[in-house]
Amino acid sequence: EETAPKRVSVAVVKRLDRAVHTGHLTETERHELDGRLEDLAEHSFIVQTATVEKFLAPGAGDLRWIADKGKWLLRCLRFCVRTTSVALADNESSPTGALLAAL
Protein backbone atom coordinates (compact mmCIF):
# COMPACT_ATOMS: atom_id res chain seq x y z
CA GLU A 1 0.00 0.00 0.00
CA GLU A 2 1.34 3.40 -0.94
CA THR A 3 1.85 5.79 1.95
CA ALA A 4 0.10 9.14 1.63
CA PRO A 5 2.58 12.00 1.39
CA LYS A 6 0.73 14.38 3.80
CA ARG A 7 1.49 17.26 1.47
CA VAL A 8 0.21 18.43 -1.85
CA SER A 9 2.32 17.69 -4.90
CA VAL A 10 4.12 20.69 -6.37
CA ALA A 11 2.89 19.52 -9.80
CA VAL A 12 -0.71 19.70 -8.58
CA VAL A 13 -0.28 23.23 -7.26
CA LYS A 14 1.37 24.31 -10.51
CA ARG A 15 -1.43 22.69 -12.54
CA LEU A 16 -4.08 24.59 -10.58
CA ASP A 17 -2.12 27.82 -10.97
CA ARG A 18 -1.82 27.20 -14.69
CA ALA A 19 -5.60 26.65 -14.81
CA VAL A 20 -6.00 30.30 -13.83
CA HIS A 21 -3.83 31.41 -16.74
CA THR A 22 -5.70 29.20 -19.21
CA GLY A 23 -9.10 30.46 -18.10
CA HIS A 24 -10.28 27.30 -16.36
CA LEU A 25 -10.41 29.05 -12.97
CA THR A 26 -10.60 32.60 -11.71
CA GLU A 27 -8.11 33.86 -9.13
CA THR A 28 -10.90 33.82 -6.53
CA GLU A 29 -11.85 30.22 -7.33
CA ARG A 30 -8.21 29.17 -7.16
CA HIS A 31 -7.80 30.73 -3.71
CA GLU A 32 -11.01 29.08 -2.51
CA LEU A 33 -9.57 25.71 -3.54
CA ASP A 34 -6.60 26.23 -1.21
CA GLY A 35 -8.86 25.21 1.67
CA ARG A 36 -9.58 21.89 -0.05
CA LEU A 37 -5.97 21.03 -0.78
CA GLU A 38 -5.53 19.58 2.71
CA ASP A 39 -7.98 16.87 1.65
CA LEU A 40 -5.74 16.07 -1.33
CA ALA A 41 -2.66 15.95 0.91
CA GLU A 42 -4.05 12.85 2.62
CA HIS A 43 -3.59 10.86 -0.60
CA SER A 44 -0.76 9.71 -2.82
CA PHE A 45 0.65 11.94 -5.54
CA ILE A 46 -0.91 9.60 -8.12
CA VAL A 47 -4.37 10.19 -6.68
CA GLN A 48 -3.72 13.92 -6.34
CA THR A 49 -2.70 14.24 -9.98
CA ALA A 50 -5.61 12.12 -11.20
CA THR A 51 -8.00 14.24 -9.11
CA VAL A 52 -6.83 17.54 -10.57
CA GLU A 53 -6.95 16.17 -14.12
CA LYS A 54 -10.50 14.88 -13.51
CA PHE A 55 -11.41 18.23 -11.92
CA LEU A 56 -10.23 20.17 -14.99
CA ALA A 57 -11.55 17.63 -17.52
CA PRO A 58 -14.78 19.50 -18.34
CA GLY A 59 -12.70 22.25 -19.95
CA ALA A 60 -12.76 25.99 -19.38
CA GLY A 61 -16.24 26.49 -20.84
CA ASP A 62 -18.07 23.77 -18.92
CA LEU A 63 -16.08 24.19 -15.72
CA ARG A 64 -17.49 27.71 -15.40
CA TRP A 65 -20.98 26.25 -14.93
CA ILE A 66 -19.89 24.35 -11.81
CA ALA A 67 -20.87 26.73 -9.02
CA ASP A 68 -19.03 25.10 -6.12
CA LYS A 69 -15.57 24.17 -7.33
CA GLY A 70 -14.59 22.91 -3.87
CA LYS A 71 -17.38 20.32 -3.88
CA TRP A 72 -16.48 19.34 -7.44
CA LEU A 73 -12.85 18.83 -6.40
CA LEU A 74 -13.91 16.59 -3.49
CA ARG A 75 -16.22 14.62 -5.77
CA CYS A 76 -13.35 14.09 -8.20
CA LEU A 77 -11.12 13.07 -5.28
CA ARG A 78 -13.61 10.44 -4.08
CA PHE A 79 -13.89 9.08 -7.63
CA CYS A 80 -10.11 8.91 -8.08
CA VAL A 81 -9.56 7.27 -4.70
CA ARG A 82 -12.01 4.50 -5.66
CA THR A 83 -10.76 3.97 -9.20
CA THR A 84 -7.06 4.27 -8.41
CA SER A 85 -7.24 1.80 -5.53
CA VAL A 86 -9.09 -0.68 -7.76
CA ALA A 87 -6.55 -0.22 -10.57
CA LEU A 88 -3.65 -0.69 -8.16
CA ALA A 89 -5.24 -3.83 -6.72
CA ASP A 90 -5.71 -5.26 -10.22
CA ASN A 91 -2.12 -4.48 -11.13
CA GLU A 92 -0.69 -6.08 -7.98
CA SER A 93 -1.51 -9.53 -9.33
CA SER A 94 0.90 -9.03 -12.25
CA PRO A 95 4.71 -9.07 -11.84
CA THR A 96 4.93 -5.44 -12.98
CA GLY A 97 2.11 -4.48 -10.65
CA ALA A 98 3.88 -6.07 -7.71
CA LEU A 99 7.00 -4.05 -8.49
CA LEU A 100 5.00 -0.84 -8.82
CA ALA A 101 3.21 -1.53 -5.55
CA ALA A 102 6.59 -1.98 -3.85
CA LEU A 103 7.63 1.50 -4.97
Side-chain angles (χ1 to χ4, degrees):
E1 180 178 315
E2 189 173 350
T3 305
K6 302 294 183 197
R7 63 184 174 87
V8 179
S9 163
V10 173
V12 165
V13 173
K14 286 182 179 181
R15 181 68 181 102
L16 289 172
D17 290 342
R18 191 169 53 240
V20 173
H21 298 293
T22 60
H24 285 76
L25 296 171
T26 65
E27 286 281 346
T28 303
E29 291 169 336
R30 172 63 185 91
H31 291 297
E32 288 172 359
L33 288 176
D34 283 340
R36 302 292 187 160
L37 293 182
E38 64 189 39
D39 295 316
L40 281 179
E42 297 296 318
H43 300 279
S44 70
F45 291 154
I46 293 169
V47 170
Q48 291 179 27
T49 303
T51 298
V52 171
E53 292 307 315
K54 183 76 171 168
F55 173 80
L56 296 171
D62 290 335
L63 193 59
R64 292 181 191 191
W65 292 104
I66 299 172
D68 190 334
K69 304 287 192 302
K71 283 185 182 178
W72 175 240
L73 182 69
L74 291 181
R75 186 173 176 182
C76 293
L77 175 61
R78 287 192 300 270
F79 174 82
C80 290
V81 166
R82 277 195 320 270
T83 58
T84 304
S85 62
V86 168
L88 289 175
D90 288 345
N91 285 339
E92 286 179 1
S93 60
S94 72
T96 304
L99 289 173
L100 288 174
L103 293 177

